Amino acid sequence: MINGKHLKKIIMSIGCLFLLTGCGLWLHAMQPDSYVTFYGGAGRVGGSSAIVSNGATKIMVDCGSFYGEEAVEGAGGKDEEFKFNASEVGDLLITHAHADHAGNVMNLIRAGFNGKIRMTEPTKKILEVTWASQCVYEKNASRHWRWSVRRKTRGIKAHWHAECEYNQKILKKNLKEFVGTYDALCEYVSGISNSAPKYVTGCDVCCRLEIAGVMKRVETVEFDRSIEIKPFTIVFRPVKHLPGAAAIYFDDGVKSFVFSGDLGTCRSRMVANIEPAKKVDAVFVESTYGDGSYGDKAAVDSEYARFADTVVDAVKKRNLIWIPAFAIDRTQRVLIEVSKALEKAGIQDCPVYVLSPSGNAVTDLYCNNCGWFDNFKETEYLRAIQKRVSRRFDPSKENARWGVLVTTSGMMDAGFSKGLIPDLVPDDKVTICLVGYQSPQSPGGRLLKGGKTLTINGRKIKIAAKVEKFSCFSGHGDAREIDEWLSNNRDSTIYLIHGDKDALKARKEGLAARYASKVEIVKPLHEYSIGR
């Protein structure tokens, strides 16, 4: 029997249990909700960026640049115009190294961000290359430029970093100076030139010194290991879009959600499999290619074979294959397939030109870090072709119109690709292979539409080159693959990001029909509650 004394203890224990449970429920109810607001990548492809907030904590996920027609005032795409207080952001998390996810970080720092930048080690290594290549051309970075008039070339090497040894060596009698942006500097130099128009390049040493300051903020994270940024537990998990590419998971103790970043594809010969997303309450998932699928492995292999035939056929005729490709991952995957095609055809003397310094540097990273890939043997083809790559190309020379030419940008709207349009597009012995996403108003997008002319900077250019499109090089999962990635979250709330209007609409209709879950297209600047 329970005596009175024991009964009193039991009643008190039960009372305490109810009290503690009640306090726990009260504390749970009082804990703030988590909110997500998108400032880019909502209703468009470029400029991916979102802020996660909970109480006083503000964490930014990605800080990307805008592309093409999105990068104009009125379209929400002015990189330097942030619609939030950058100094209030505590941490920046980067999903992967592509510019539309990580290309606007230096503008963010100039706007007042002073926190840590967290990413995986491969992402850090790639960004160290691409940020250094990008930084000199930042549109709103005003600098004190210095150069020597003693240089006997048509070009000007402009310095700006005080610690650069070459900047310090310029003699006063040879010194020219200008304060302003890179674009303003180019206009100034053109205006003062008494001879042939001069071009301006930024000093590589100054670039490295500037990026070294940014990289001091970077803290690397390992896949599948949690980090704590109160009240969140955060985990980076691999999605294989690029080496180091991650989906980023948040758990605030009550609710959980994930940002997909850009999801990879097993159409890449370097990727064996991609694990489905873990179960969460809400998923923010990319929709770059809408609800379309590219077919099974046989269809993809057929597309690779068509690419190889196109390359070999042109090379045997001593014509030029021109492949505009993004510097990161696309250039490397293209070179692998070119290497295979030439080797299989027994062609050993074909010139191969790769004009992008950052593209070549990333290729070196791939060759030296084969452990980044599921099928690391593919990098053997990359190493083989990298040994024969020439980094100079002069279209005025007749013998330059033979071989394989890889240039950036992939949409032909900037860089070497845009500069070569007047020389190569009118040539019927040139075949242009478009191997990535083409913004509709970009030169690449307009070439795909057909037509007889292409207008660049007000100049009409006759189109005589052949144009071929290949989808096998896409680094994004198609609808079928992303459905598989979402398979554990059929009853979760699914938010669609990172796609144009038509792609988002098609994806919403397809997902709602197959999953019967709540599917919503994210709107820019709208605050989404991950409530209780």
Side-chain angles (χ1 to χ4, degrees):
M1 290 184 63
I2 301 175
N3 59 34
K5 188 175 181 180
H6 287 151
L7 183 60
K8 186 177 181 180
K9 286 183 178 180
I10 292 171
I11 292 171
M12 288 180 67
S13 297
I14 294 172
C16 288
L17 180 61
F18 275 111
L19 180 62
L20 289 171
T21 302
C23 287
L25 291 171
W26 179 79
L27 288 171
H28 171 85
M30 293 299 292
Q31 185 178 338
D33 286 354
S34 295
Y35 295 92
V36 178
T37 306
F38 279 84
Y39 294 90
R44 53 176 58 96
V45 175
S48 289
S49 63
I51 289 182
V52 178
S53 59
N54 186 296
T57 300
K58 287 188 177 181
I59 300 170
M60 193 167 181
V61 177
D62 284 342
C63 186
S65 297
F66 289 90
Y67 284 149
E69 62 271 21
E70 294 179 350
V72 296
E73 194 169 5
K78 297 264 295 184
D79 281 348
E80 67 273 19
E81 293 181 357
F82 295 102
K83 300 184 185 302
F84 56 87
N85 188 338
S87 65
E88 293 179 356
V89 178
D91 290 84
L92 169 63
L93 314 181
I94 301 292
T95 59
H96 66 284
H98 272 146
D100 58 332
H101 290 258
N104 205 20
V105 173
M106 281 171 279
N107 274 326
L108 185 72
I109 291 171
R110 280 191 284 270
F113 170 71
N114 197 37
K116 291 181 180 178
I117 308 172
R118 302 176 193 254
M119 61 186 71
T120 64
E121 183 67 25
T123 298
K124 178 186 177 183
K125 286 185 175 180
I126 295 171
L127 282 177
E128 203 160 6
V129 169
T130 58
W131 278 348
S133 174
Q134 164 197 334
C135 77
V136 67
Y137 307 108
E138 295 277 342
K139 288 188 177 296
N140 71 319
S142 182
R143 298 185 172 107
H144 184 173
W145 304 92
R146 292 159 51 91
W147 66 95
S148 173
V149 296
R150 192 181 175 191
R151 282 175 57 91
K152 303 298 183 183
T153 67
R154 293 183 61 216
I156 284 173
K157 179 76 75 173
H159 309 267
W160 71 91
H161 203 286
E163 295 178 21
C164 172
E165 59 178 310
Y166 301 103
N167 190 359
Q168 296 169 357
K169 287 179 180 178
I170 300 174
L171 298 178
K172 191 173 182 179
K173 65 180 182 179
N174 299 324
L175 176 65
K176 292 290 289 183
E177 298 178 272
F178 179 82
V179 176
T181 65
Y182 173 77
D183 288 345
L185 171 66
C186 292
E187 288 184 18
Y188 173 76
V189 168
S190 178
I192 65 171
S193 176
N194 296 321
S195 57
K198 293 184 177 179
Y199 60 86
V200 181
T201 57
C203 169
D204 295 339
V205 175
C206 290
C207 288
R208 288 196 295 272
L209 287 168
E210 181 164 321
I211 295 308
V214 178
M215 299 311 290
K216 288 178 181 178
R217 298 167 175 259
V218 173
E219 185 173 294
T220 59
V221 298
E222 294 183 35
F223 282 133
D224 300 317
R225 286 201 175 183
S226 61
I227 59 175
E228 300 292 330
I229 305 176
K230 298 295 184 182
F232 296 107
T233 299
I234 298 169
V235 181
F236 285 58
R237 292 197 166 97
V239 292
K240 301 182 182 179
H241 174 64
L242 291 182
I248 303 179
Y249 291 74
F250 285 75
D251 190 321
D252 64 11
V254 180
K255 292 287 185 177
S256 58
F257 50 101
V258 61
F259 295 86
S260 71
D262 284 354
L263 297 169
T265 173
C266 292
R267 293 192 308 281
S268 168
R269 305 209 203 244
M270 304 173 93
V271 174
N273 68 299
I274 300 170
E275 291 293 326
K278 304 294 183 184
K279 172 65 179 171
V280 290
D281 296 296
V283 183
F284 295 92
V285 61
E286 64 125 317
S287 310
T288 311
Y289 290 106
D291 208 47
S293 295
Y294 292 106
D296 58 16
K297 185 178 184 302
V300 174
D301 287 344
S302 175
E303 183 89 340
Y304 277 121
R306 183 170 71 86
F307 174 78
D309 290 343
T310 303
V311 170
V312 170
D313 181 62
V315 168
K316 283 184 175 180
K317 293 176 181 176
R318 299 186 77 81
N319 290 345
L320 182 69
I321 285 283
W322 180 18
I323 311 169
F326 300 122
I328 307 174
D329 197 63
R330 199 64 49 89
T331 287
Q332 292 71 42
R333 289 174 56 193
V334 161
L335 287 174
I336 287 170
E337 297 306 318
V338 168
S339 181
K340 288 179 180 178
L342 296 180
E343 180 183 297
K344 186 176 180 181
I347 299 172
Q348 298 179 351
D349 59 343
C350 170
V352 179
Y353 306 94
V354 182
L355 304 190
S356 167
S358 55
N360 283 310
V362 173
T363 299
D364 290 339
L365 281 177
Y366 275 38
C367 291
N368 296 328
N369 293 278
C370 58
W372 286 352
F373 310 102
D374 295 343
N375 187 2
F376 63 86
K377 290 184 178 179
E378 293 287 296
T379 59
E380 293 175 6
Y381 291 100
L382 197 56
R383 282 191 287 271
I385 202 167
Q386 183 74 336
K387 293 175 183 176
R388 61 194 284 190
V389 161
S390 173
R391 304 184 182 196
R392 295 178 180 270
F393 177 81
D394 185 349
S396 66
K397 294 182 179 179
E398 188 61 32
N399 63 355
R401 300 297 176 102
W402 173 54
V404 177
L405 170 66
V406 182
T407 61
T408 53
S409 74
M411 293 190 288
M412 304 175 69
D413 58 349
F416 291 103
S417 296
K418 185 176 182 180
L420 287 168
I421 286 174
D423 288 305
L424 300 183
V425 167
D427 190 340
D428 62 3
K429 292 186 177 180
V430 172
T431 299
I432 302 171
C433 297
L434 299 175
V435 295
Y437 174 78
Q438 304 297 319
S439 177
Q441 298 307 314
S442 68
R446 284 180 277 158
L447 282 175
L448 283 178
K449 293 176 183 176
K452 296 182 179 180
T453 61
L454 184 65
T455 302
I456 301 292
N457 296 333
R459 175 185 171 188
K460 278 192 175 182
I461 297 166
K462 180 184 175 182
I463 299 172
K466 302 177 187 69
V467 179
E468 300 283 350
K469 176 77 170 73
F470 297 93
S471 61
C472 53
F473 291 100
S474 171
H476 291 265
D478 61 15
R480 172 182 50 83
E481 291 175 298
I482 295 178
D483 280 359
E484 291 175 6
W485 187 78
L486 289 167
S487 59
N488 293 327
N489 290 282
R490 291 176 181 269
D491 58 352
S492 304
T493 302
I494 297 174
Y495 296 98
L496 302 181
I497 56 174
H498 201 276
D500 62 33
K501 182 179 178 181
D502 292 339
L504 290 164
K505 182 175 181 291
R507 186 65 174 141
K508 179 179 180 179
E509 292 171 355
L511 269 177
R514 289 189 295 274
Y515 278 16
S517 57
K518 180 183 177 183
V519 182
E520 186 171 347
I521 297 173
V522 168
K523 298 175 183 177
L525 308 182
H526 182 82
E527 190 175 66
Y528 292 88
S529 172
I530 314 296
R532 283 151 184 82

